[in-house]
Amino acid sequence: MTSQLGVRLLDSEFLLRGTAGELAELSALTGRCDVGADAIDVDVTGDALDQTLALLNMTAVAQCRSFAVHAAAVLVGATAVALPAESGSGKSTMAAALVREGCQYLSDEALVLDWDTGDVRPYPKWFSLSPWSAEQVGLTPGHGAESFFTVEQLGGAPAGAARLGAVVMLDRRTGPPSLEALSRAEAARLLLMMSFNHYQQPRRAFALVTQVVAGCQAWRLGVDDPRAAARLLVERIGS
Amino acid sequence: MLRRNPDVLVQILDDEALLLLPTSDGVLHLNRTATAFWELLEEPQPLEDVARQLAKEFQVPADAVLADLRPLVENLVQHEAIRRT
């Protein structure tokens, strides 16, 4: 018997159809809500959980009506911190480690900035963590290549809209964590290069990013142990 | 003579320029020396004249500045941020 689940992610609504068991597993990660008649209809019957979640995330980011950057983001105290980086560079692990250090969660996937105000829109999607990453933040990984967790499972909470206050470039290296000043021009370049949709309105994106970054701190964070790096970042930015 | 491409969008953050390139929509980040070079091109002028001004500003030999500027100029020309006329 087919059941239905309404899900909203950023500017996209989905109506998922599948078995009760499949939808229960999904809703534990995505939440559920009422959706309109224009919701995207997706039959997930028989699909693997990771494939469905990847489809939902990719669609939500692609259809986002705000400026979106491939980045993790958290709230350190009152400061929204973005960690722009490519896939596989440790964004989700750092976001999870920062939540473990008491930061509120904005996203492990996309820094979303309102085109008009520059405010950060939360995209607090489920965490996708490799077994190594899950262990680093004290979670028990599942059997697959990735395990999925909610921010609540990490002992944290989602943040509301915020102003961006810092851009942090991740630098994987061995040894103790380090934090070095980064030029704001380099931070702005990084946000633009990591953007999902800068190409749609390049001049507007350029103006938005340079304006927002002009009011930000910018750092290069040397990361070996994610928890140690998270503690250092919270100490420096939260103080 | 070197001149800026007027279609390039520029923002200076902490004395470093960020250029939005008109053809590729790519972004170029200039360090402080390269930014000083860019700012001197507010008025079109020969490379040698720019080198002389930078040499005076940074108190280094003009020949050395000229040698350092050549690859920067090639890069900026290649990205159509500046033009030779």
Side-chain angles (χ1 to χ4, degrees):
Chain A
M1 178 162 173
T2 301
S3 299
Q4 296 182 352
L5 169 67
V7 171
R8 184 179 301 120
L9 296 172
L10 291 174
D11 301 314
S12 300
E13 289 186 341
F14 303 90
L15 184 62
L16 308 179
R17 301 175 194 277
T19 66
E22 287 168 334
L23 298 186
E25 199 174 21
L26 276 166
S27 67
L29 296 167
T30 63
R32 62 170 63 234
C33 66
D34 293 330
V35 294
D38 293 337
I40 302 166
D41 210 318
V42 186
D43 185 350
V44 303
T45 308
D47 291 347
L49 178 66
D50 58 346
Q51 288 177 337
T52 302
L53 292 173
L55 172 71
L56 297 179
N57 177 51
M58 281 191 295
T59 305
V61 171
Q63 295 195 340
C64 177
R65 290 194 288 269
S66 301
F67 177 69
V69 178
H70 203 183
V74 297
L75 209 53
V76 180
T79 304
V81 178
L83 302 99
E86 295 176 354
S87 296
S89 53
K91 285 191 312 296
S92 294
T93 313
M94 274 309 302
L98 285 160
V99 167
R100 283 295 206 201
E101 295 303 317
C103 300
Q104 288 183 286
Y105 180 52
L106 286 160
S107 186
D108 79 337
E109 174 72 9
L111 169 72
V112 182
L113 299 178
D114 183 279
W115 276 115
D116 296 319
T117 65
D119 286 347
V120 180
R121 291 178 59 194
Y123 178 38
K125 65 175 264 298
W126 57 91
F127 283 88
S128 307
L129 299 176
S130 69
W132 179 87
S133 296
E135 286 171 1
Q136 291 298 306
V137 294
L139 295 169
T140 304
H143 298 296
E146 281 186 312
S147 301
F148 306 102
F149 303 94
T150 63
V151 65
E152 289 80 9
Q153 287 175 293
L154 278 157
R163 295 294 295 177
L164 189 65
V167 178
V168 176
M169 175 191 276
L170 296 178
D171 183 6
R172 296 287 288 273
R173 61 169 85 155
T174 55
S178 60
L179 201 57
E180 300 157 11
L182 183 73
S183 82
R184 280 187 273 213
E186 180 61 24
R189 189 195 70 84
L190 187 61
L191 290 182
L192 287 163
M193 299 313 290
M194 287 292 123
S195 167
F196 290 108
N197 54 5
H198 138 265
Y199 67 92
Q200 292 172 345
Q201 301 183 70
R203 296 175 80 86
R204 193 178 182 194
F206 186 80
L208 174 68
V209 166
T210 51
Q211 184 183 354
V212 167
V213 171
C216 285
Q217 308 170 47
W219 301 99
R220 181 192 304 273
L221 178 64
V223 181
D224 186 3
D225 174 355
R227 292 296 297 271
R231 278 193 291 274
L232 175 63
L233 193 61
V234 168
E235 280 171 18
R236 292 290 290 274
I237 290 182
S239 61
Chain B
M1 192 74 86
L2 300 175
R3 67 177 67 235
R4 293 179 187 170
N5 179 343
D7 294 330
V8 173
L9 213 56
V10 183
Q11 283 288 338
I12 309 285
L13 292 167
D14 300 331
D15 299 328
E16 296 183 350
L18 206 60
L19 276 53
L20 179 66
L21 304 169
T23 48
S24 62
D25 293 332
V27 176
L28 217 52
H29 168 214
L30 305 185
N31 64 22
R32 290 185 179 207
T33 310
T35 300
F37 167 80
W38 176 267
E39 288 182 323
L40 285 170
L41 283 188
E42 188 170 1
E43 295 296 328
Q45 50 186 314
L47 174 60
E48 290 74 15
D49 287 4
V50 181
R52 267 195 292 276
Q53 292 170 73
L54 287 175
K56 191 174 173 186
E57 185 179 339
F58 291 103
Q59 297 186 321
V60 289
D63 288 352
V65 174
L66 195 57
D68 287 346
L69 285 181
R70 290 193 194 284
L72 171 65
V73 168
E74 289 310 313
N75 190 28
L76 292 173
V77 168
Q78 188 182 343
H79 285 98
E80 300 185 38
I82 62 173
R83 292 169 179 156
R84 287 193 186 95
T85 55

